[in-house]
Amino acid sequence: MSDKKPTIQHTHDNDLTHSMVHYLLAIHKLKEAKGYARVTDIAHEMGLTKGSVSTALTNLKKRELVLEDESKFLSLSPSGHEAVHGILSSRTLLYYFLKDIIGVDEEVAHKDSCLMEHLMSSETREKFFNFMKNLTTEDFKKTPYSTSFDFSQFEHQHDFEEIQKGDTYLKTE
């Protein structure tokens, strides 16, 4: 019998790197703002060379997350679009949790939520959403925890994911 402890396997829903996420978010943001995204636009948006953007996009196309038409316009595939909305949901949940529940400075909450957004599994995102939603119910409002975003306006985590826009947090009303 071995005294060796089993190693923990860290897996993610789609094994996207932090860098890959930023390319997907740039495409998403450009498509929403301009109606199109090209390599040049992404390079400008991210402050990178067209060559490095092209290289990164090749990998994302192989993973079937990004599509390119005959006119060289880029868009997210259905799975790319789904990944972006999940990532944006994770980022928003993390941001408000760090800022409102833990009391982290807004800039730190922004930076840290950006670093963690792509690491959260869909299962954790759903449970985390339910936790944040419960914080806005009347019973939980009596606790010392509160958040400035009203998650109770959504019946399900999926409804919350669907309204994510750009690459910013949903605004409180």
Side-chain angles (χ1 to χ4, degrees):
M1 182 131 131
S2 173
D3 290 333
K4 191 174 181 184
K5 292 182 181 178
T7 58
I8 296 173
Q9 297 294 318
H10 295 281
T11 59
H12 313 295
D13 285 348
N14 50 15
D15 293 322
L16 293 174
T17 66
H18 186 78
S19 176
M20 289 173 171
V21 166
H22 280 273
Y23 285 101
L24 295 175
L25 290 172
I27 293 168
H28 182 69
K29 181 179 177 181
L30 287 164
K31 288 280 288 178
E32 283 185 342
K34 295 180 163 188
Y36 62 89
R38 300 169 301 178
V39 170
T40 305
D41 303 311
I42 297 165
H44 183 262
E45 174 76 22
M46 297 179 72
L48 300 170
T49 65
K50 289 191 294 185
S52 46
V53 170
S54 291
T55 301
L57 289 174
T58 298
N59 187 20
L60 291 170
K61 287 182 225 172
K62 284 180 187 172
R63 290 172 175 255
E64 299 180 355
L65 296 169
V66 173
L67 306 170
E68 184 174 20
D69 68 18
E70 61 280 347
S71 300
K72 302 292 182 188
F73 287 100
L74 301 160
S75 62
L76 298 175
S77 69
S79 58
H81 197 355
E82 186 179 320
V84 164
H85 280 264
I87 290 161
L88 290 171
S89 294
S90 293
R91 180 191 291 184
T92 300
L93 288 163
L94 287 161
Y95 172 79
Y96 284 106
F97 179 78
L98 295 170
K99 181 177 84 63
D100 296 340
I101 306 304
I102 298 178
V104 172
D105 176 77
E106 197 169 323
E107 279 301 310
V108 174
H110 170 71
K111 183 184 88 177
D112 288 352
S113 63
C114 180
L115 291 170
M116 294 185 277
E117 67 199 2
H118 66 287
L119 301 173
M120 190 181 294
S121 71
S122 57
E123 178 186 358
T124 298
R125 183 171 48 250
E126 184 176 349
K127 298 289 185 184
F128 200 14
F129 169 79
N130 289 331
F131 172 78
M132 294 297 283
K133 179 180 174 180
N134 284 335
L135 287 180
T136 58
T137 64
E138 287 305 315
D139 289 340
F140 276 85
K141 285 182 180 178
K142 297 173 187 160
T143 68
Y145 301 111
S146 67
T147 178
S148 58
F149 190 86
D150 183 10
F151 290 93
S152 69
Q153 65 184 300
F154 306 100
E155 185 169 344
H156 300 288
Q157 190 262 336
H158 178 74
D159 301 330
F160 171 69
E161 279 190 19
E162 288 296 316
I163 68 158
Q164 300 295 317
K165 299 211 181 274
D167 67 348
T168 58
Y169 305 107
L170 295 175
K171 302 292 183 202
T172 56
E173 298 180 348

